[in-house]
Amino acid sequence: LADYLGIAEIAQKEKHPDEARKAVAQAGALAVKLNVPIASENLSLGTARVADLAGDPAAVLSALPANLEFVRLGPVAAGEAQALRARAFGKLGQWPEAVAAGKKAVSALDMIRQSLGEGPLRSAFTSDNAAIYTDLIVALLQLGRTSEAFEVADAARGRSLLEHLSSLRQSVRTSARDAAEADRLLRRIDALTQQLRTADTTRAPERTVALRKDQKRLVASLNAARNEYEDRIRRVARTDPRGSVLLGTSRMGAAEVRRALEPNEILIEYFAMPTRLLTFVVSRDTVVSLSHNVSVDDLGNKVSLASQLVTRPGAATAASNVLRGLHDLLIDPIAQLPQYRQASAIIVVPHSALTYLPFAALASRDGKRLVESKSILVLPSASSLPLLRASAADSRDAKSSVFAPFPAELRGTMEEATAVKAETKKARTYLAANATELQLRKALSSGDNVHVASHAVLNQTNPMFSKIELHRGNSGSPEDDGSLDVHEILSIPVRSDLVYLSGCETGAGAAWSTAFRTSQDYATLSQAILYAGAQNVVATLWRIDDAGASVFATRFYAALAHSSPADALAIAQRQMIGDRRYSAPKYWAAYVVSGSGLPRSSQSQQRASVP
């Protein structure tokens, strides 16, 4: 049966509809002969897939009646069925029905993301998750529900870190009992689903009645386990709201995001679709959406070219032209909005290849860089803003710890450490052999502001092992081996108001460097530190110049004495632009700040409520 349906899909993809119809008919005849529920479920889903490929939305809906639950094939098949129904309703212009089915598809996708089980169908379903979110966003916008569309677009990001670290549910902030119980429930759900599949392939005519009763019991147990799992996940989210939002397992509403904005701020969230780019502009009063005709592949090529040219000697003119074109595409359409003109600070939530774009270097037609008129804060999701700004602790008396483990090899880091210490009150400096992993762990967990000037290594194959290199300690402990990896950072309760990673590619993920699902970003050092508890993280998008790094850090900390981290970064970048020696973007555009964008002491002031 699976072979016939697979042949039908291949034939339809290859534009052989007659062969596809023949294979579907053969599958249908075999399903009748088998006369078991799992065969019917497979036939319905397979027929709908072929109809979707054929561009026949009515046939999709005919194959997938609303009462078909896919109990045996599990939530993956149920989610895919709802995604196919949502797309079909959209093609027919039935937008309310498209929204209802799309929400069910997204809900199923969110549950599947929590589990690494369910076999190969899971990867087939989740690999197309961008289309699932896109269909729902389009349907919501068609109905004028812009705020809801913004919330769905925001929910589509921030999931990869969770997918690549199943042990994250063992976070120190998460209830160990709830986490362990959630894992046990996932295993039970997988086992019950497999038992149902097995029961459908068991031929025992003399026990037909007993078999049907057994199947009903299994279905009831499976539904109960799924309900209990969902309750457990909600309980974990309540236990660790910050972590669940940063990782995308739960989210804030548009009103909460608006309430978290300062009066002089707007939030710009991008969402890359196959053939166009959606932009949401959020202020304290409104949520506005715009659409631009540019494919996700074209956008990726433009960003890749810009990143290459910015760092290439002798390519200043070419780089400026590309950055000007990107400004025309990304900023000019929203520059006409009064919300944008009135804002002195923007919060950018990038998507897809835009994660790797140095927004600060974008140039308008008059040659001005974006950072010359706006301070820029970058966030993994809009939902994270209210959580990051919720802390009321006062860090004005926080000490600073400065690490430079390789001053002989990276000569600029010695100068950088000295300059940072001079600009920072109550600073402790750890140089060479004293700059151990254990000392860095202590500084992060003690509440110190932390500055690290060292190598950073981006692991393209397994981003959970991207690392900051330090000196190996003498304790012999794995926690002092000189390599602080992403997965280790996640186990540290980071209490720092500011962590400054003056290394190479500390803010970049592996998605850009590989062909694997480039529509999503992966675990980065800065994202891990933010999740672990830091309020603000300064990181880099590419390999930074050793000498320029020292000058930039000095200017940043001088400005930080009287500015927020976001404003201090903008001030330092403007000063670099005005300095002939360092005016080229390669010296300053790689730096980005993520987090609350505010010093922790400023966050205790409650913002005015938003209706």
Side-chain angles (χ1 to χ4, degrees):
L1 179 63
D3 289 344
Y4 280 136
L5 293 172
I7 290 169
E9 281 192 65
I10 294 170
Q12 189 61 58
K13 287 178 181 178
E14 296 296 323
K15 309 299 182 185
H16 299 303
D18 292 338
E19 292 183 25
R21 282 191 291 270
K22 179 182 177 182
V24 169
Q26 290 172 313
L30 184 54
V32 171
K33 183 178 179 180
L34 290 169
N35 192 28
V36 289
I38 194 170
S40 299
E41 291 183 9
N42 271 296
L43 179 64
S44 294
L45 189 57
T47 303
R49 286 172 178 163
V50 174
D52 181 61
L53 291 169
D56 188 347
V60 171
L61 297 176
S62 176
L64 298 172
N67 60 351
L68 190 60
E69 296 183 356
F70 292 98
V71 176
R72 287 153 182 82
L73 290 184
V76 175
E80 184 183 359
Q82 293 295 349
L84 289 168
R85 296 181 79 245
R87 189 177 306 149
F89 281 127
K91 289 179 179 179
L92 294 171
Q94 299 178 28
W95 300 114
E97 293 83 357
V99 167
K103 286 185 174 181
K104 291 178 181 178
V106 167
S107 178
L109 175 60
D110 289 345
M111 179 178 177
I112 294 161
R113 285 178 183 277
Q114 308 299 320
S115 170
L116 298 182
E118 299 270 1
L121 278 177
R122 173 188 179 274
S123 60
F125 177 48
T126 57
S127 65
D128 196 31
N129 64 73
I132 296 168
Y133 284 106
T134 296
D135 291 340
L136 179 54
I137 292 166
V138 169
L140 288 166
L141 290 175
Q142 287 289 336
L143 295 174
R145 293 156 64 173
T146 307
S147 291
E148 280 188 75
F150 161 69
E151 292 172 0
V152 173
D154 193 60
R157 68 193 72 245
R159 309 303 181 93
S160 300
L161 183 57
L162 183 63
E163 288 185 4
H164 284 77
L165 190 67
S166 60
S167 63
L168 199 57
R169 290 188 290 269
Q170 308 299 332
S171 164
V172 293
R173 276 184 227 80
T174 302
S175 162
R177 181 179 299 174
D178 281 338
E181 184 62 17
D183 283 340
R184 185 192 67 78
L185 285 167
L186 284 173
R187 289 193 295 272
R188 177 166 171 74
I189 289 169
D190 285 346
L192 288 169
T193 302
Q194 186 58 47
Q195 286 180 48
L196 268 175
R197 293 170 184 164
T198 302
D200 269 359
T201 61
T202 301
R203 309 300 293 179
E206 70 280 3
R207 295 191 298 111
T208 301
V209 175
L211 190 59
R212 280 201 297 268
K213 289 182 178 180
D214 192 46
Q215 287 176 335
K216 288 182 180 180
R217 179 187 60 78
L218 287 171
V219 169
S221 298
L222 181 58
N223 289 333
R226 286 175 178 163
N227 290 336
E228 186 179 352
Y229 173 77
E230 290 174 0
D231 289 341
R232 188 74 57 173
I233 287 298
R234 284 192 287 269
R235 191 180 309 170
V236 170
R238 289 194 297 270
T239 304
D240 181 18
R242 174 190 170 108
S244 64
V245 168
L246 286 175
L247 291 171
T249 55
S250 64
R251 61 180 183 268
M252 294 287 181
E256 292 167 294
V257 174
R258 287 163 48 202
R259 192 177 298 118
L261 290 168
E262 294 288 301
N264 66 323
E265 289 179 324
I266 61 169
L267 183 144
I268 305 171
E269 178 154 331
Y270 296 97
F271 188 80
M273 301 167 66
T275 59
R276 57 179 166 150
L277 176 70
L278 286 180
T279 306
F280 294 92
V281 181
V282 184
S283 68
R284 286 170 63 88
D285 302 316
T286 61
V287 180
V288 178
S289 69
L290 300 91
S291 178
H292 320 290
N293 291 323
V294 59
S295 71
V296 67
D297 291 335
D298 188 30
L299 187 65
N301 291 335
K302 291 178 185 294
V303 173
S304 176
L305 183 60
S307 299
Q308 293 174 33
L309 292 176
V310 162
T311 57
R312 184 181 299 171
T317 301
S320 294
N321 290 336
V322 175
L323 291 167
R324 187 174 297 116
L326 283 164
H327 188 284
D328 292 346
L329 175 66
L330 301 172
I331 303 299
D332 281 359
I334 63 177
Q336 311 307 316
L337 297 173
Q339 300 96 312
Y340 181 87
R341 292 198 299 269
Q342 295 165 9
S344 60
I346 60 176
I347 300 171
V348 176
V349 182
H351 186 228
S352 188
L354 294 178
T355 304
Y356 305 92
L357 179 66
F359 277 86
L362 296 182
S364 60
R365 289 289 173 178
D366 61 4
K368 292 290 186 181
R369 304 290 183 178
L370 181 59
V371 74
E372 293 185 80
S373 61
K374 312 286 186 186
S375 66
I376 303 168
L377 177 70
V378 178
L379 284 180
S381 70
S383 294
S384 62
L385 183 66
L387 265 296
L388 289 166
R389 289 187 169 177
S391 173
D394 192 334
S395 64
R396 284 173 291 185
D397 295 326
K399 297 181 174 63
S400 296
S401 294
V402 184
F403 292 81
F406 309 109
E409 181 181 344
L410 300 173
R411 299 197 175 187
T413 62
M414 181 65 183
E415 181 182 345
E416 184 175 341
T418 302
V420 171
K421 183 178 182 179
E423 292 289 348
T424 308
K425 296 178 181 179
K426 304 177 182 178
R428 292 171 290 192
T429 304
Y430 299 91
L431 303 175
N434 292 321
T436 63
E437 179 186 351
L438 193 58
Q439 287 293 350
L440 178 56
R441 285 172 174 267
K442 290 179 179 178
L444 291 170
S445 60
S446 69
D448 286 6
N449 289 332
V450 173
H451 183 100
V452 183
S454 181
H455 290 297
V457 179
L458 178 68
N459 190 320
Q460 298 177 6
T461 304
N462 190 336
M464 300 314 301
F465 289 86
S466 295
K467 62 184 178 180
I468 302 170
E469 291 190 348
L470 297 133
H471 249 282
R472 181 185 293 270
N474 298 321
S475 64
S477 167
E479 296 184 350
D480 201 19
D481 61 5
S483 175
L484 185 58
D485 298 352
V486 164
H487 68 90
E488 293 180 304
I489 291 170
L490 292 167
S491 68
I492 302 173
V494 177
R495 298 185 175 90
S496 303
D497 182 60
L498 174 69
V499 178
Y500 188 123
L501 301 176
S502 184
C504 299
E505 300 172 319
T506 51
W512 185 247
S513 306
T514 69
F516 181 66
R517 293 172 73 177
T518 54
S519 64
Q520 293 196 18
D521 191 21
Y522 286 75
T524 68
L525 289 163
S526 62
Q527 185 181 359
I529 290 175
L530 199 63
Y531 170 76
Q535 282 295 301
N536 297 281
V537 181
V538 175
T540 58
L541 294 175
W542 58 70
R543 297 184 181 278
I544 57 177
D545 176 81
D546 195 24
S550 173
V551 176
F552 188 90
T554 302
R555 291 172 173 174
F556 170 79
Y557 283 103
L560 188 65
H562 52 80
S563 305
S564 69
D567 287 340
L569 194 78
I571 291 169
Q573 289 175 322
R574 292 165 190 166
Q575 291 176 351
M576 298 289 276
I577 292 171
D579 188 330
R580 185 173 300 178
R581 297 170 299 169
Y582 302 110
S583 60
K586 70 175 183 179
Y587 292 109
W588 52 266
Y591 294 92
V592 294
V593 59
S594 301
S596 70
L598 302 172
R600 205 183 286 257
S601 58
S602 298
Q603 298 166 56
S604 58
Q605 301 176 1
Q606 189 67 30
R607 289 153 181 80
S609 62
V610 176

